[in-house]
Amino acid sequence: MSGRILDLFKPFKAFLPEVIAPQRKVPYNQKLIWTAVSLLIFLVMGQTPLYGIVSSETSDPLYWLRSMLASNRGTLMELGVTPIITSSMIFQFLQGTQLLQVDMSNKKDVELLQMAQKVCAIALTFGQAVVVVLTGNYGNPSSLGISISLILIFQLIFASFIVLLLDELLSKGYGLGSGISLFTATNIAEQIFWKAFAPTTVNMGRGTEFEGAIIALFHLLAVRKDKKRALVEAFYRQNLPNCFQVLSTVAVFLFVLYLQGFRYELPVRSTNVRGQIGTYPIKLFYTSNTPIMLQSALSSNIFLISQIMYQKFPSNPIIRMLGVWGLRPGSQGPQVALSGLAYYLQPPSSISEILLDPIKAVAYIAFVLGTCALFSKTWTEISGTSARDVAKQFKEQGLVINGKRETSAYRELKKIIPTAAAFGGASIGALAVGSDFLGTLGSGSSILLATTTIYGYYEMAAKEGGFSKNLVSGMSELM
Amino acid sequence: MALNYDYDEQGETWPFFLLTLLLVLLIPSTLIQFWRIIKNNDSEDEVTRKYKEINKKAGRDVVPLEELNELYTDDKIKKFRKKFDHSSKSKILNLRNLLIIIGWVIVSVLVQRISNNDAIKEAASGMFDPYELLGISTSASERDIKSAYRKLSVKFHPDKLSKDLSEKERTTMEEMYVQITKAYEALTDEAMRENFLKYGHPDGPQSTTHGIALPQFLVEGAASPLLVFAYVSLLALILPYIVSKWWSRTQSYTKKGIHVNTASYFADRLVNYKPSEVVTTNLIINWLSHAEEFQIFFPNKTPAYFEKLLLNHINRVPMDENPTDVLIKYRIVAKCHSLLYGLLDIASGFRNTDIALAALDTFKCLVQAVPHNQYSQILQLPNVNKEHFIDSTEDVYTVGKLFTFEDNKIQKMLGIEDKDQFEHTMKVASNIPVLKLLKADFIVPGEKHVTPSAMAYISVKVLVRSPKHKFIPLKKFPDETLQEPTDFDFLKDPFASMNEKPLLPYSFAPFFPSSRRNAWCCLVALQKDLKILQSPFILERLSLTNLTKDLDKRVLKELGDDFDPKDWEIGSIRIPLAQAAPPEKGDFPFRIIIKSTDYFGCDLDFTIFMHVSDMTEEEKRDESQNLLNDLDSSEDDISDDGDEDEDDSEYDSDLTDIDTDTETEESDVEDEKQNIKEDKNKPFFFQFIPSKK
C-alpha cells in the first residue's frame, strides 16, 4: 500500500535533471578532483552576495543553525544544505517508522526513493526561499518590489539546486563521501580558520585590534608596552576570538581524533570462505556524529520556533515559558534566550555563567547527554546498524564470531552494540558540552561534526588511496 | 556583514597580518627541515635500523658488501648516482631551504618595518592607559594608586595652578587633570573598572570602527588592475594548467610507474609471442629498448642504439671514448629497474612464465653487468679474470662449488693475482644470500588444512645461508621451529609479521648506475599448464643474520652434535594467494619460483601440492563440541579465552598433515648439486616434491 506513495513520484522522473551514475569505478585520483571541484564551487557560492539585497542587518533567527547547515548569511548559500538535510531526514524517519515501505534490495524502489527525496528537497527549497524573502530578511518586500523579490527567490532556488546536484554527483560515486557532510565540515573549518587568522581589524576605543586570534597575539605583543598584559589580553579577551579558544579548539580536535581510535574488535571469521579471519570493529563513536547532529537540529529548531514566536507574541505566558529572547547585557552579538526553556537548552557562554547559575549548567548537561544517548540508540534502529541488523548482515555474508556458534552472533552483538551506541552518544554529547565550556571557536557540536567528518574522509582516503591500511582494520575491507 | 571596512592606510596592521601568516608557515617547516638535516634520513626504516644496531652490538656485520660496493664502483657511476638518487640530494642546498630562508628574510624586513613605523607607535600611545597616566606599575596596590593620584591632582588641579600660565598651557593642564581623574576612577570605581576591563575605556563602549589589514595600495590605485589580473591568472590559467598537467601525467603512467605506451608495447609483444620462440635475455633487452621512457629522455636516439647500449652494459664493453654515450647508458640502465618490474607484472597478467623468468634473468644481468650463461654465477664476483676462468679445466659453475676448493686453488682458477683483491672476491662470494627451502605449505588461517574454496596462503620456510656454509640437513630443524604462529593477531593478518624483518641490504652491484637493494620475486604458477597464477609477490624484507655464521664446509667435515638450530634464523616467506582454493576436493600441484633480482645462484624453484579436503568427521565433532562449550561459557559468563586455547592446541597438532612425510624422505643431498640444479631453470625440475598422502 505504501508503495503507492512512492509511485506518486514516478511522473517527475522525466523532468528532473539527474547525475548519471558512473559506468565503471571512478579511480581515486579522479574522485579527488571531482571532490575538490565541487568544494570550490560551493565555497565560491558561499562568498557570492545575493543580488538585490537592501539590508541584512535584522536580527538573524537562523543564527543557531548556520554552522550546522553550511549556510552563509546574505550569500547564495543562504539556505545551505537545509533542504537536502530536511528532506533526507523526513524520508529516513518515514522509512524507519515503516510508514513508507521501501524494498532496499529492489533497484527501482531505491531509485524512486532518491527521486522522491529530490522532489521533496526542491519543494522545500522553494518554500524556504519564499519564506526567507517574504519575511523581510533582506528588507521589507513591499519596498523591494516584486521583481527584486522574484530575482532573490530565483537566486536562492538556483543555488540550492546546484548544491543538490553537487551532492548527488559526489554521493553517486564520483567523489569521496557525501556532499552534505563535506560542505558542512568545510564551512565549519572555514569559520574556525577565519576566527584564528582574520585580517579584519576592530577599533573600539583602545587601539586597533585584530579579529583573528593568532594575528592578534602577535599584534598585541608588538604594540602594547606591557607585554604581560598584552599576553593576558590576547589569551582572554572577551569581545573577540582569543588564543585560548584557538588552543582549546585544537585540543578538542586532537582529543576527538584520539577517541576515534577507540573500538571493540570482535574477532570474526568467514564460513563461506575459509581462511578469512579478521575483526569487526565496533567503534566507541558507533553512530559517529549523528546524535550530536540530531541533538543540535532539535535544539536549534526549538530556538528558532521560540524566537519567532517570542517576536510575534512577546507577552504570551506560554511562549514566555518557552523562551524570552534578547541581547545579552553588554553585547551586540546575536540574540540569546534570557529565560524560559530555551535558556536552559542553550550552552553557557562562559565559566562564570556556570558558577552564577549552576542549575542551568546541570540542566544543559543532562539535556545534551541524555538526548545524545537516546538519539544514538534509536539511530541504530533507524539506520539499520542495530544488533539485529548486524547479525543478519553477518549471516548473509557467512561471518561468525570466532569460536562462537553461528546463532550466538546476535546475542554477542546485543551485548555490545546498544551499550556502544548509548555510551558513544553520551560521550559525544559530553565532548560537545566540554568544548562549549572550554569556549572553543564555534560551538562544540560543530567542531565535533567537522572533526568526525574529517576523520571519516581520512579513513576513506586511506582505504581508497591505499596509503595507510592500518588505520582501517582487516574486516571492513572484506565487508 | 554589510559594514564599511577601512583599508590600512598607514600600514599599521597589514605587516602584522603578513608576519603572522609567514610565521605560522615558517616555524613548522623550519623545524621539520632542521629535524631532517640532523636526522640521518636514509631510505631505511625503523625496523631495519634496529636490526643493524643489534647486529653491531653482537659484533656481526651483516652488510659488509656495502663497503666493498663503494670500493668497486666507478667514479663516474658514483657521480651519476649522486645526481640520480633523490636521497643523496644535497640536504642543505635545495629549493625548500631557499624558500625558508627567503621567508625569514621577509620576516626580518617586516619586523624592521614594524619597529620603525611611527603610526604604530602613535596608535599605541594614543590609548587610554590609567597605569601610565598615574605613573604606577600594573601591580600597584590600592594605596599606591591613591597616593599617586593625590600627588598628581595636587599638581594639576585647576584651582591650584599658578596664575602666570598661558591660556593654552592651562587648558592642557586641565585636560590632564580630567584624564588623571578618569584613570583613578577606572582603577577604583567598581562600575568604571568593569567598563575599563571590558571595553578598554571607563565610559563604556566607544564608537567602533572596522578595518581590514590590507594595504590601501593593493585595492585602490595603480595596483588594483594588477591584483585583478593576478586573481584571474591564478584561477583561470595557473590552476587549470597545474591540474591538467598533473592529470595527464597520472593518465600517461600505469600503476607500476611505466609509461602507457611502453606497457602497451609490452602487451603487444606478449600477445604476438609465439610459444615456439626461445625467450632469451637478448629478446627482453630488445623489448626494453623500445620503451617510451627512453624516447622521452633522449628523443633523437633509436631503439637500436638503446639496445646496443644495454648490451654493452651487460658485456662490460668499455666505452670511454664517448662520455655522453656513457651517461645515456647509465640513465637508461637505471630506468630498467621499473621497466622490468612493469614487464614482469604484464607477463604475469598474460600468465606467461617464460617471459617472466626471462625478465628476472635480464634483471640480474643488468644489475651485475654479466651476460646470462652457465658462468654467470662466477662472473658476478669481482676481479674474476673471465678468459682465464673459462679456459680453466675445472667444472665449476656455482659459488657453492667454488667453496669446496682450497683458497689457493680458487685464486688460481679465477685468475686473481692480487691477494687483497682475492680476499674481496671471497668476501662477496660468501655473502651472497642463498635460500635453502625448509618447508612449504598451503595454510588456511584458523583451519587445520585446506578446505574447498578457502582463502589460503603459501608459507615458505627458508634458511638464509652463505654458499660457503656446510650443508645443514633438514632434520636438524625440529618441526616446532617451522610452525606458523597461531595467535589471533597473526591469523588476522599473517603477512604483517613479515614487515618486522629488516630490509634486505644494498646489493653488491658496482656496475649498476643506482644503488639498489636485493629483492626476491615470488611467482606462483599452476603445475598443470605451467602458467603464472597471479602477479608476483616481491619480498623486500628478510633477515640475513645467518650469513655471519662461520660454518665453513672446508673446515668442518661433519656437522657435530653441538649444532643448535636456535642459533639460526629461519626466514618466513608468506605468499598471498589471490584466488580461493578450488571448490572441489583433490590435490593440486603448484610451482613456486622465488627468484632474486640481483644475484645469480640464490633462487628457489619447487613444486608443492595443495591438498583440498573437507573437514573430517572428527574435526566436525570437535567444532560442535567447541560450540557447546561456547554455549556453556556464555551462560556462565566465562570469557571465551578458554575455547580459543583449545582451538589452538588442536590446530597445532594437525597443522602439518600436508607434508609431514616429505621431511623424512628428504635425503642429505649434496648441496653443490642442489645449487647447480636450482639455477638451471629447467621447467620440469622439482627440487622438492612432497609425496601425496
Side-chain angles (χ1 to χ4, degrees):
Chain A
M1 191 211 97
S2 320
R4 247 185 273 147
I5 301 176
L6 264 188
D7 286 337
L8 286 178
F9 290 97
K10 245 182 193 166
F12 289 103
K13 193 173 181 176
F15 306 105
L16 280 178
E18 196 189 350
V19 177
I20 297 169
Q23 304 267 314
R24 58 183 88 161
K25 202 172 166 285
V26 183
Y28 176 67
N29 281 344
Q30 234 159 352
K31 279 190 180 181
L32 275 185
I33 290 203
W34 282 117
T35 315
V37 168
S38 323
L39 199 58
L40 193 71
I41 295 174
F42 174 80
L43 287 175
V44 169
M45 287 205 296
Q47 299 299 327
T48 315
L50 284 166
Y51 172 77
I53 303 180
V54 171
S55 79
S56 56
E57 302 262 327
T58 52
S59 83
D60 184 5
L62 289 169
Y63 172 81
W64 297 99
L65 279 159
R66 293 254 176 237
S67 68
M68 288 284 153
L69 298 173
S71 81
N72 271 341
R73 189 108 208 265
T75 67
L76 285 176
M77 278 299 92
E78 173 74 49
L79 298 178
V81 293
T82 327
I84 307 175
I85 285 196
T86 319
S87 116
S88 72
M89 266 176 150
I90 290 173
F91 277 89
Q92 269 299 352
F93 175 76
L94 287 178
Q95 218 183 314
T97 50
Q98 302 291 316
L99 284 173
L100 192 75
Q101 269 165 1
V102 187
D103 181 8
M104 288 313 261
S105 54
N106 186 345
K107 217 181 148 201
K108 268 194 178 156
D109 260 25
V110 175
E111 257 176 39
L112 218 52
L113 179 76
Q114 282 168 353
M115 183 106 60
Q117 277 191 23
K118 217 153 84 179
V119 172
C120 179
I122 291 168
L124 280 169
T125 309
F126 186 75
Q128 288 183 352
V130 170
V131 169
V132 164
V133 174
L134 291 190
T135 49
N137 230 329
Y138 306 122
N140 198 352
S142 56
S143 63
L144 280 175
I146 292 179
S147 56
I148 292 287
S149 299
L150 281 179
I151 286 173
L152 281 173
I153 292 174
F154 173 74
Q155 289 175 64
L156 290 177
I157 293 174
F158 184 71
S160 293
F161 205 72
I162 288 176
V163 173
L164 191 74
L165 289 180
L166 284 180
D167 175 50
E168 198 178 326
L169 175 88
L170 294 185
S171 48
K172 271 207 172 156
Y174 288 101
L176 293 165
S178 88
I180 296 172
S181 53
L182 177 70
F183 296 153
T184 318
T186 313
N187 203 38
I188 294 165
E190 192 192 332
Q191 282 172 17
I192 291 173
F193 266 84
W194 181 258
K195 280 177 182 162
F197 296 106
T200 49
T201 54
V202 180
N203 191 343
M204 289 189 298
R206 49 172 175 178
T208 319
E209 276 185 275
F210 269 96
E211 251 185 80
I214 293 178
I215 298 182
L217 172 70
F218 284 89
H219 181 238
L220 287 172
L221 276 181
V223 168
R224 297 279 159 96
K225 280 190 196 110
D226 187 345
K227 304 296 173 199
K228 202 179 101 196
R229 261 173 67 214
L231 206 62
V232 170
E233 169 88 22
F235 268 88
Y236 296 107
R237 60 182 185 171
Q238 289 294 316
N239 46 350
L240 292 168
N242 58 42
C243 279
F244 183 73
Q245 288 174 323
V246 174
L247 284 184
S248 54
T249 308
V250 172
V252 169
F253 182 79
L254 293 178
F255 187 59
V256 174
L257 285 191
Y258 172 68
L259 285 186
Q260 288 277 7
F262 275 46
R263 60 182 70 188
Y264 181 86
E265 289 190 334
L266 215 54
V268 289
R269 66 193 172 90
S270 167
T271 49
N272 290 354
V273 187
R274 298 242 157 197
Q276 288 278 46
I277 292 188
T279 49
Y280 182 82
I282 295 171
K283 285 188 191 170
L284 172 64
F285 294 153
Y286 186 68
T287 45
S288 189
N289 50 26
T290 331
I292 200 72
M293 256 178 112
L294 292 173
Q295 187 269 333
S296 51
L298 175 74
S299 52
S300 44
N301 274 315
I302 294 175
F303 293 160
L304 187 65
I305 293 165
S306 143
Q307 205 175 344
I308 289 171
M309 300 281 263
Y310 179 73
Q311 273 163 8
K312 294 276 165 207
F313 316 101
S315 51
N316 186 317
I318 297 173
I319 285 161
R320 284 188 79 87
M321 232 165 76
L322 204 59
V324 175
W325 293 79
L327 290 177
R328 188 175 284 139
S331 79
Q332 319 98 309
Q335 287 208 331
V336 293
L338 298 175
S339 67
L341 179 67
Y343 171 72
Y344 289 97
L345 304 187
Q346 210 173 314
S349 62
S350 62
I351 305 222
S352 58
E353 201 182 323
I354 302 168
L355 295 175
L356 284 176
D357 194 352
I359 299 170
K360 179 206 159 136
V362 170
Y364 173 71
I365 292 171
F367 169 71
V368 173
L369 262 62
T371 42
C372 276
L374 194 73
F375 279 138
S376 178
K377 239 180 131 175
T378 31
W379 183 250
T380 58
E381 304 288 334
I382 294 171
S383 64
T385 48
S386 68
R388 193 177 296 281
D389 295 314
V390 174
K392 211 171 108 196
Q393 206 184 334
F394 269 30
K395 206 173 171 191
E396 276 163 12
Q397 292 172 337
L399 293 175
V400 290
I401 297 171
N402 207 15
K404 296 283 157 82
R405 191 191 285 272
E406 208 173 314
T407 46
S408 68
Y410 173 60
R411 210 175 44 217
E412 282 297 311
L413 288 168
K414 207 175 73 180
K415 266 193 250 168
I416 305 159
I417 287 181
T419 326
F423 187 67
S427 47
I428 274 268
L431 270 171
V433 173
S435 42
D436 277 338
F437 284 178
L438 272 176
T440 45
L441 297 170
S443 70
S445 40
S446 62
I447 285 170
L448 285 182
L449 199 72
T451 312
T452 42
T453 313
I454 290 167
Y455 184 77
Y457 262 87
Y458 175 71
E459 259 187 339
M460 205 158 17
K463 202 170 139 193
E464 293 215 10
F467 52 80
S468 167
K469 277 247 167 74
N470 51 354
L471 247 159
V472 194
S473 60
M475 213 57 178
S476 47
E477 266 143 300
L478 192 130
M479 310 250 325
Chain B
M1 271 185 270
L3 285 159
N4 290 323
Y5 284 112
D6 301 329
Y7 291 105
D8 184 16
E9 279 168 53
Q10 274 126 5
E12 301 176 34
T13 47
W14 70 262
F16 288 104
F17 178 56
L18 201 60
L19 182 72
T20 316
L21 288 193
L22 270 175
L23 285 179
V24 165
L25 293 176
L26 273 177
I27 291 172
S29 57
T30 311
L31 287 178
I32 289 170
Q33 201 64 7
F34 260 114
W35 176 247
R36 258 193 214 150
I37 290 169
I38 290 165
K39 205 177 69 170
N40 216 355
N41 196 10
D42 280 341
S43 55
E44 280 179 358
D45 59 344
E46 206 53 45
V47 182
T48 316
R49 218 171 299 130
K50 216 189 278 166
Y51 257 82
K52 252 187 184 170
E53 257 161 42
I54 292 172
N55 280 322
K56 213 173 255 173
K57 257 181 214 155
R60 289 176 303 212
D61 187 10
V62 207
V63 283
L65 293 187
E66 283 177 11
E67 258 169 50
L68 276 182
N69 196 14
E70 197 66 12
L71 191 69
Y72 276 84
T73 309
D74 195 17
D75 281 342
K76 270 188 224 151
I77 291 186
K78 273 189 199 157
K79 226 169 111 191
F80 178 80
R81 276 183 192 174
K82 232 180 199 164
K83 232 170 73 184
F84 183 73
D85 290 357
H86 290 288
S87 56
S88 58
K89 232 186 200 173
S90 165
K91 274 178 187 157
I92 305 201
L93 282 171
N94 59 19
L95 190 68
R96 195 190 290 259
N97 284 353
L98 191 71
L99 284 179
I100 288 178
I101 289 167
I102 290 174
W104 283 110
V105 168
I106 297 175
V107 166
S108 58
V109 169
L110 282 174
V111 169
Q112 188 69 26
R113 204 195 143 93
I114 287 168
S115 58
N116 289 340
N117 193 330
D118 292 332
I120 295 170
K121 276 183 200 151
E122 241 170 67
S125 57
M127 259 176 53
F128 176 79
D129 187 349
Y131 294 102
E132 209 196 308
L133 280 170
L134 295 176
I136 48 176
S137 78
T138 48
S139 54
S141 66
E142 200 148 320
R143 251 183 61 197
D144 292 338
I145 296 171
K146 262 183 196 156
S147 69
Y149 170 67
R150 237 172 250 141
K151 260 185 216 155
L152 286 170
S153 61
V154 167
K155 202 170 153 196
F156 290 109
H157 199 278
D159 300 347
K160 305 223 168 118
L161 290 174
S162 57
K163 302 274 194 265
D164 48 315
L165 278 168
S166 70
E167 193 62 28
K168 205 178 162 201
E169 274 170 320
R170 179 172 283 273
T171 42
T172 47
M173 289 290 218
E174 272 167 14
E175 252 167 47
M176 197 66 195
Y177 177 73
V178 173
Q179 289 286 324
I180 288 163
T181 319
K182 204 176 258 174
Y184 173 69
E185 281 172 342
L187 293 180
T188 48
D189 186 83
E190 196 67 22
M192 283 199 167
R193 194 182 166 83
E194 187 143 300
N195 272 339
F196 169 64
L197 287 178
K198 229 174 189 171
Y199 309 105
H201 208 275
D203 295 343
Q206 301 286 296
S207 69
T208 51
T209 50
H210 291 261
I212 192 158
L214 289 177
Q216 200 171 24
F217 61 81
L218 266 188
V219 190
E220 286 157 19
S224 82
L226 268 179
L227 198 70
V228 171
F229 176 73
Y231 256 117
V232 169
S233 61
L234 185 72
L235 284 176
L237 301 173
I238 296 175
L239 199 71
Y241 175 75
I242 290 172
V243 168
S244 67
K245 190 92 187 169
W246 169 75
W247 183 241
S248 69
R249 242 189 51 198
T250 54
Q251 287 301 85
S252 58
Y253 284 90
T254 66
K255 253 185 201 165
K256 290 279 163 185
I258 65 173
H259 198 277
V260 275
N261 290 357
T262 314
S264 74
Y265 176 79
F266 287 162
D268 185 49
R269 292 293 95 194
L270 276 156
V271 169
N272 295 319
Y273 164 73
K274 290 187 275 305
S276 59
E277 216 174 326
V278 183
V279 196
T280 58
T281 47
N282 283 359
L283 180 73
I284 303 290
I285 294 219
N286 177 270
W287 290 6
L288 287 180
S289 61
H290 285 86
E292 185 72 23
E293 277 89 342
F294 297 168
Q295 288 295 334
I296 294 172
F297 290 150
F298 310 105
N300 42 13
K301 305 282 184 198
T302 58
Y305 170 77
F306 294 130
E307 188 176 2
K308 201 186 106 214
L309 286 186
L310 289 176
L311 288 174
N312 279 352
H313 171 72
I314 287 184
N315 293 315
R316 302 191 185 175
V317 176
M319 296 175 49
D320 291 330
E321 67 279 357
N322 197 344
T324 48
D325 276 2
V326 176
L327 278 183
I328 294 175
K329 186 181 86 174
Y330 289 158
R331 189 69 197 88
I332 63 173
V333 171
K335 191 71 207 171
C336 281
H337 166 84
S338 46
L339 290 178
L340 279 167
Y341 272 128
L343 175 60
L344 185 64
D345 211 53
I346 293 167
S348 309
F350 278 89
R351 306 193 56 204
N352 195 322
T353 318
D354 291 347
I355 302 280
L357 291 180
L360 281 169
D361 282 333
T362 315
F363 216 137
K364 297 176 198 225
C365 291
L366 284 168
V367 169
Q368 295 296 347
V370 165
H372 186 240
N373 53 33
Q374 75 253 51
Y375 303 114
S376 326
Q377 268 202 47
I378 304 294
L379 291 181
Q380 67 181 327
L381 303 177
N383 305 323
V384 177
N385 186 328
K386 193 172 164 192
E387 284 74 31
H388 181 88
F389 167 68
I390 292 174
D391 289 344
S392 74
T393 45
E394 306 283 346
D395 257 355
V396 177
Y397 301 113
T398 71
V399 182
K401 177 83 174 174
L402 203 64
F403 275 106
T404 54
F405 298 101
E406 289 304 319
D407 277 3
N408 301 346
K409 188 99 193 283
I410 300 172
Q411 191 171 0
K412 224 178 191 174
M413 212 157 32
L414 301 181
I416 303 169
E417 256 118 58
D418 189 73
K419 190 99 176 92
D420 282 347
Q421 283 192 350
F422 176 66
E423 244 168 53
H424 292 160
T425 309
M426 291 309 273
K427 203 170 178 191
V428 172
S430 61
N431 273 300
I432 288 177
V434 177
L435 299 183
K436 178 185 161 50
L437 181 66
L438 295 176
K439 187 181 168 189
D441 261 334
F442 280 94
I443 292 198
V444 179
E447 300 287 326
K448 285 149 212 153
H449 54 247
V450 182
T451 50
S453 310
M455 286 302 290
Y457 67 92
I458 303 169
S459 149
V460 183
K461 298 282 180 189
V462 292
L463 183 71
V464 179
R465 53 187 281 274
S466 152
K468 105 183 151 177
H469 283 164
K470 177 81 188 142
F471 177 71
I472 306 163
L474 203 53
K475 59 184 174 201
K476 287 281 183 190
F477 291 95
D479 210 26
E480 307 91 71
T481 57
L482 303 178
Q483 298 293 0
E484 293 280 86
T486 50
D487 52 294
F488 186 76
D489 277 336
F490 175 80
L491 294 180
K492 205 169 70 184
D493 187 4
F495 310 107
S497 60
M498 288 208 301
N499 284 335
E500 288 156 18
K501 296 292 174 199
L503 285 168
L504 285 162
Y506 286 104
S507 304
F508 180 77
F511 288 91
F512 199 71
S514 71
S515 45
R516 49 175 291 111
R517 290 173 186 277
N518 188 12
W520 270 282
C521 290
C522 309
L523 305 174
V524 179
L526 277 184
Q527 189 68 50
K528 192 171 63 186
D529 51 3
L530 287 172
K531 284 185 172 172
I532 298 181
L533 203 62
Q534 58 183 25
S535 51
F537 169 75
I538 292 160
L539 178 77
E540 286 171 322
R541 289 171 179 275
L542 198 63
S543 165
L544 299 187
T545 321
N546 290 348
L547 291 185
T548 56
K549 293 266 185 312
D550 191 31
L551 198 75
D552 197 331
K553 59 183 144 200
R554 293 167 297 181
V555 181
L556 201 76
K557 287 294 158 228
E558 201 64 46
L559 216 53
D561 290 335
D562 55 341
F563 175 80
D564 188 0
K566 285 196 192 73
D567 291 344
W568 293 73
E569 194 161 334
I570 294 167
S572 299
I573 305 173
R574 300 189 182 95
I575 309 167
L577 277 183
Q579 291 170 2
E584 67 270 13
K585 286 182 278 183
D587 292 345
F588 302 90
F590 285 77
R591 180 180 171 198
I592 317 291
I593 305 155
I594 300 178
K595 230 168 151 52
S596 164
T597 57
D598 288 18
Y599 295 118
F600 289 96
C602 46
D603 302 341
L604 286 177
D605 188 341
F606 55 92
T607 303
I608 51 171
F609 280 88
M610 183 194 261
H611 301 272
V612 181
S613 56
D614 277 332
M615 267 190 284
T616 58
E617 282 305 308
E618 201 181 329
E619 283 161 11
K620 272 187 187 156
R621 213 177 51 233
D622 284 348
E623 199 156 279
S624 54
Q625 186 65 41
N626 249 337
L627 292 173
L628 277 178
N629 288 349
D630 157 39
L631 213 58
D632 294 341
S633 68
S634 58
E635 268 158 21
D636 297 345
D637 244 347
I638 302 170
S639 66
D640 24 341
D641 294 358
D643 297 351
E644 264 168 29
D645 287 348
E646 208 170 308
D647 240 335
D648 292 349
S649 60
E650 282 162 30
Y651 181 88
D652 280 354
S653 61
D654 274 289
L655 185 72
T656 53
D657 67 340
I658 299 173
D659 59 0
T660 36
D661 302 354
T662 55
E663 278 154 8
T664 53
E665 273 187 23
E666 173 92 27
S667 57
D668 291 12
V669 201
E670 280 282 311
D671 61 333
E672 291 80 33
K673 267 189 205 164
Q674 204 182 354
N675 268 327
I676 300 165
K677 282 176 181 171
E678 269 172 29
D679 228 39
K680 282 207 174 158
N681 287 337
K682 283 183 198 160
F684 286 97
F685 169 69
F686 311 136
Q687 189 230 342
F688 183 74
I689 307 169
S691 67
K692 286 189 193 179
K693 216 180 167 184

